[in-house]
Amino acid sequence: MTPRQRDLARHALGLPNRNRRSYRNRFLTGGACPDWRAMEAAGLARSQPTDKLGRAWFHLTRAGAEAALERGERLCREDFPPPPRPRDARGRYVSEAAEGIAA
């Protein structure tokens, strides 16, 4: 991620702010935006189709959002929920200790 892309990603997340936590995950472009397209190609962002006015919404993936964070900042759980916990064949949650043994 280039410094310019990082600045765009931080803006999309609503950072910096006094809570040191993202509060959104969106960026509206008004036309061609090579930085966002490059992030999309790298798997750091995704986009919605361009509208009639040539605008496109971009959203960061978890990897893109984490790459934009500074030390002590965190992501909003609403926009970036934690990954689901693994389950065994019976549908029961697998503890982290058991995962380490099985691996």
Side-chain angles (χ1 to χ4, degrees):
M1 185 178 280
T2 68
R4 168 87 174 127
Q5 291 170 345
R6 189 168 184 275
D7 287 344
L8 291 169
R10 290 181 58 74
H11 179 78
L13 295 171
L15 294 169
N17 63 54
R18 66 181 164 155
N19 295 323
R20 301 186 56 80
R21 183 176 64 95
S22 67
Y23 66 88
R24 63 182 180 215
N25 181 19
R26 62 186 181 274
F27 191 95
L28 179 65
T29 63
C33 190
D35 289 309
W36 277 104
R37 294 295 176 194
M39 286 192 286
E40 187 176 29
L44 301 175
R46 61 187 188 283
S47 68
Q48 294 177 337
T50 305
D51 67 11
K52 295 176 192 175
L53 300 175
R55 301 175 305 181
W57 282 102
F58 285 88
H59 307 277
L60 294 164
T61 62
R62 177 175 283 279
E66 288 176 351
L69 294 178
E70 291 183 358
R71 177 179 227 132
E73 292 178 336
R74 61 192 193 283
L75 298 173
C76 172
R77 292 176 64 99
E78 184 177 325
D79 292 323
F80 298 97
R85 290 178 45 201
R87 295 178 181 251
D88 65 13
R90 296 182 190 168
R92 297 178 298 184
Y93 288 114
V94 176
S95 69
E96 291 179 20
E99 280 185 64
I101 294 170

